[in-house]
């Protein structure tokens, strides 16, 4: 996900380029299991300070259901919006002073390369739901025998009521 932006840096503010992005991201992060390539379109706009990268990206990933622990696939879509700043003046070749906002992930290197890898990795991790579920009505696992309740009930269900609920149940049963 590396783009040479030397020409765009020489352009006037407001000039832009568009790219189709299609990347194999299997090596991006050990916590991400992609089932497809990362796809989308990105736009790079020359700003007064650098280059603003925007875009919408899509990828299918494998997740583990937080209720039933089964693997399932889901399509994620996320937006990219990050301003990259040059570390070298494109005209003079002089090193530019860094500001407090400059993170390595959003620096344009001395060869005028924008590398989207780290910002894509961070944005994709944020796009993954913290407690993914395989379906909205996933019934989860029996806490006692571990049976996947999506595949049917188990026999131990009724014995495992909270003792306070057990009292209530007895009252209701009477
Ligand atoms: Zn589930
Ligand atoms: Zn059970």
């Amino acid at each position: 996900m590396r783009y040479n932006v030397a020409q765009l840096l020489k352009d006037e503010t407001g000039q832009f380029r568009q790219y189709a992005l299609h990347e194999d991201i299997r090596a991006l992060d050990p916590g991400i299991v992609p089932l497809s390539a990362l796809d989308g379109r990105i736009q790079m706009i020359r700003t007064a300070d650098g280059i603003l990268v925007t875009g919408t990206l899509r990828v299918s990933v494998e997740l583990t259901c937080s209720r039933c622990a089964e693997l399932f696939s889901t399509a994620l879509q996320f937006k990219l919006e990050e301003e990259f700043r040059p570390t070298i003046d494109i005209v003079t070749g002089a090193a530019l002073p860094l500001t407090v906002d400059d993170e390595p992930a959003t620096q344009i290197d001395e060869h005028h390369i924008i590398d989207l890898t780290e910002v894509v990795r961070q944005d994709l991790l944020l796009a993954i739901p913290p407690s993914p579920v395989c379906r909205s009505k996933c019934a989860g696992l029996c806490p006692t025998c571990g049976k996947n309740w999506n595949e049917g009930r188990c026999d131990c269900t009724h014995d495992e009521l909270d003792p306070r609920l057990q009292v209530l149940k007895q009252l209701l049963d009477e």
Side-chain angles (χ1 to χ4, degrees):
M1 281 179 268
R2 292 162 61 82
Y3 297 83
N4 189 312
V5 293
Q7 197 55 50
L8 189 55
L9 283 169
K10 291 175 191 159
D11 283 347
E12 287 173 27
T13 301
Q15 294 293 311
F16 65 91
R17 303 271 194 285
Q18 286 182 314
Y19 300 93
L21 185 145
H22 182 84
E23 288 281 338
D24 179 346
I25 57 163
R26 278 175 294 186
L28 186 62
D29 189 280
I32 299 169
V33 184
L35 300 173
S36 73
L38 179 70
D39 268 305
R41 291 194 69 78
I42 54 169
Q43 178 163 264
M44 297 194 178
I45 309 162
R46 179 66 162 118
T47 61
D49 294 329
I51 289 173
L52 178 66
V53 180
T54 61
T56 303
L57 303 176
R58 285 171 299 280
V59 64
S60 287
V61 295
E62 184 178 75
L63 299 177
T64 304
C65 177
S66 60
R67 290 187 204 157
C68 72
E70 293 286 325
L71 296 173
F72 68 101
S73 67
T74 193
L76 296 176
Q77 179 167 309
F78 61 99
K79 287 196 186 312
L80 208 61
E81 184 172 342
E82 210 72 56
E83 186 169 35
F84 287 72
R85 294 161 65 92
T87 50
I88 299 282
D89 187 298
I90 188 70
V91 178
T92 66
L96 294 170
L98 294 178
T99 71
V100 285
D101 297 331
D102 282 322
E103 296 174 49
T106 54
Q107 285 171 10
I108 304 169
D109 76 7
E110 66 273 27
H111 306 295
H112 315 299
I113 300 287
I114 280 182
D115 187 347
L116 294 179
T117 308
E118 180 57 20
V119 296
V120 164
R121 191 182 73 85
Q122 289 178 11
D123 286 346
L124 180 49
L125 286 171
L126 287 174
I128 296 174
S131 300
V133 285
C134 62
R135 64 198 94 173
S136 61
K137 290 192 172 125
C138 174
L141 299 178
C142 173
T144 306
C145 71
K147 182 176 169 70
N148 186 339
W149 280 341
N150 296 314
E151 292 159 8
R153 285 278 152 180
C154 49
D155 297 329
C156 49
T157 321
H158 296 291
D159 301 331
E160 294 308 315
L161 281 176
D162 184 298
R164 287 161 297 178
L165 291 176
Q166 195 74 49
V167 172
L168 190 66
K169 183 172 182 298
Q170 276 163 11
L171 287 171
L172 289 170
D173 285 347
E174 279 167 12

